Amino acid sequence: MPAQIDSHYLRTRPTRLWSRMISYVLYEGRPLTTRGRWINPLVFAHYALAGKLPQLKKVEQPLFILGTGRSGTTILGIVLSMHRDVGFLNEPKAAWHAAHGDEDLIGSYSRSETARYRLDENDADPKTIKAMRRIFGAYLRTSGTRRVVDKYPELIFRLPFVKAIFPDAKFLFLARDGWDTCGSIDSWSKRLGTEKNGEVHDWWGVDNRKWYFLLDQIVAHHADLAPHVATMREWDNHRDRAAVEWIVTMREGLSISEQYPDDVLHVPYEKMCLEPKAWMEKISRFGDLRPDETFLSYAENKLSPVTPKKPFDLNPLLESAFNDTMQRLGYEHARD
């Protein structure tokens, strides 16, 4: 079924179907590598209407899931969507693009060369603030929920921007073993990457658009990686590229966890899957979510211990940075 819904989800709390379908049909949009992109004009028309109406509901303490894609961010969002108060938006990049046109890294909605990884408080002008608050407010009203959970991994590089729009926002920094995350990105891009009208559409955007933005705007500011940016531009190995993205994203997550200790919760994916109830209780306290036993029960059934993937050959230019990041996150840097 669409919207990450399965029979277990429906059996556990059937009333959740409405909010998930509202999210999927009217708010999330369809990125480049998915089907059903014909619906995007409807989604953007809906945003335009929401922007013209008074704010339909106050947006309080939105919760954002950050990290590297393919690190468990979606399953965490789905589990949280089972909470009776939560409406879950799975990468509503279309909404953010409608509010701020320079944020589309992939090229799903714009091919502008001005797209930016980093946005700060100065980018949150009154128009953008009003648009996002009205879109999220309309979402809460139409979905019949009280709290927004927005999973958009790249917002990890835009935390000051998000906080300028939603000052009481909370952030979940989800970290997963680098070998597992990079292997999953490699499989995803090979499985879902396509060629259309002479363009390659995959994890790295339209004809490597996201990859080049990542190198020029993020990697170039890491002293140990910057000397290799020119070489990396020629790389076509998905695992090596994924390792670069994972390194700089995990470093960013660790940085914001230190900078905003009251607003950012570091969630280790493997520990969350090993003790799902304990971690959902911790996340609930952090996000000020009301107690909900059905939600906790669903988490225990949905999350289970993960089997680590085997390490792979990594480009020698990345070995030191990769191993150091693994150790900083509490993982062993290598496996037998």
Side-chain angles (χ1 to χ4, degrees), residues 74-134:
T74 299
I75 189 60
L76 174 56
I78 289 299
V79 169
L80 287 171
S81 77
M82 185 55 65
H83 192 284
R84 58 182 172 172
D85 290 338
V86 165
F88 169 51
L89 291 168
N90 185 24
E91 298 199 20
K93 297 180 181 182
W96 287 98
H97 181 68
H100 195 290
D102 285 344
E103 72 82 47
D104 188 357
L105 301 168
I106 296 294
S108 295
Y109 312 110
S110 169
R111 304 299 171 86
S112 169
E113 292 303 315
T114 61
R116 294 158 56 199
Y117 255 91
R118 290 200 183 276
L119 297 171
D120 60 28
E121 60 273 12
N122 295 320
D123 295 295
D125 55 54
K127 182 179 178 181
T128 299
I129 293 173
K130 181 184 290 186
M132 282 311 302
R133 289 179 180 177
R134 288 184 174 182

Side-chain angles (χ1 to χ4, degrees), residues 250-275:
M250 293 300 99
R251 287 176 173 179
E252 190 75 16
L254 291 169
S255 175
I256 62 172
S257 297
E258 295 175 359
Q259 189 175 357
Y260 303 96
D262 295 331
D263 298 327
V264 179
L265 177 65
H266 178 186
V267 181
Y269 176 72
E270 292 80 9
K271 291 182 180 179
M272 178 185 75
C273 291
L274 189 63
E275 298 180 296

Side-chain angles (χ1 to χ4, degrees), residues 271-335:
K271 291 182 180 179
M272 178 185 75
C273 291
L274 189 63
E275 298 180 296
K277 183 176 181 181
W279 272 96
M280 290 309 116
E281 289 175 335
K282 186 173 184 177
I283 289 172
S284 295
R285 290 192 298 271
F286 171 77
D288 199 22
L289 295 172
R290 296 187 296 171
D292 186 335
E293 288 300 322
T294 299
F295 154 66
L296 295 177
S297 177
Y298 180 78
E300 287 188 293
N301 282 280
K302 191 69 174 178
L303 299 173
S304 57
V306 295
T307 301
K309 291 184 173 63
K310 293 182 179 180
F312 49 83
D313 291 332
L314 191 65
N315 191 294
L317 295 178
L318 300 177
E319 287 180 355
S320 177
F322 187 90
N323 292 340
D324 175 71
T325 305
M326 286 282 283
Q327 290 175 334
R328 288 182 64 194
L329 290 168
Y331 296 108
E332 295 182 4
H333 69 278
R335 300 193 193 129

Side-chain angles (χ1 to χ4, degrees), residues 185-205:
I185 290 174
D186 177 50
S187 299
W188 188 99
S189 206
K190 289 177 179 178
R191 185 176 75 253
L192 297 178
T194 62
E195 186 171 339
K196 187 175 181 180
N197 298 326
E199 297 176 334
V200 174
H201 299 172
D202 61 14
W203 185 266
W204 310 107

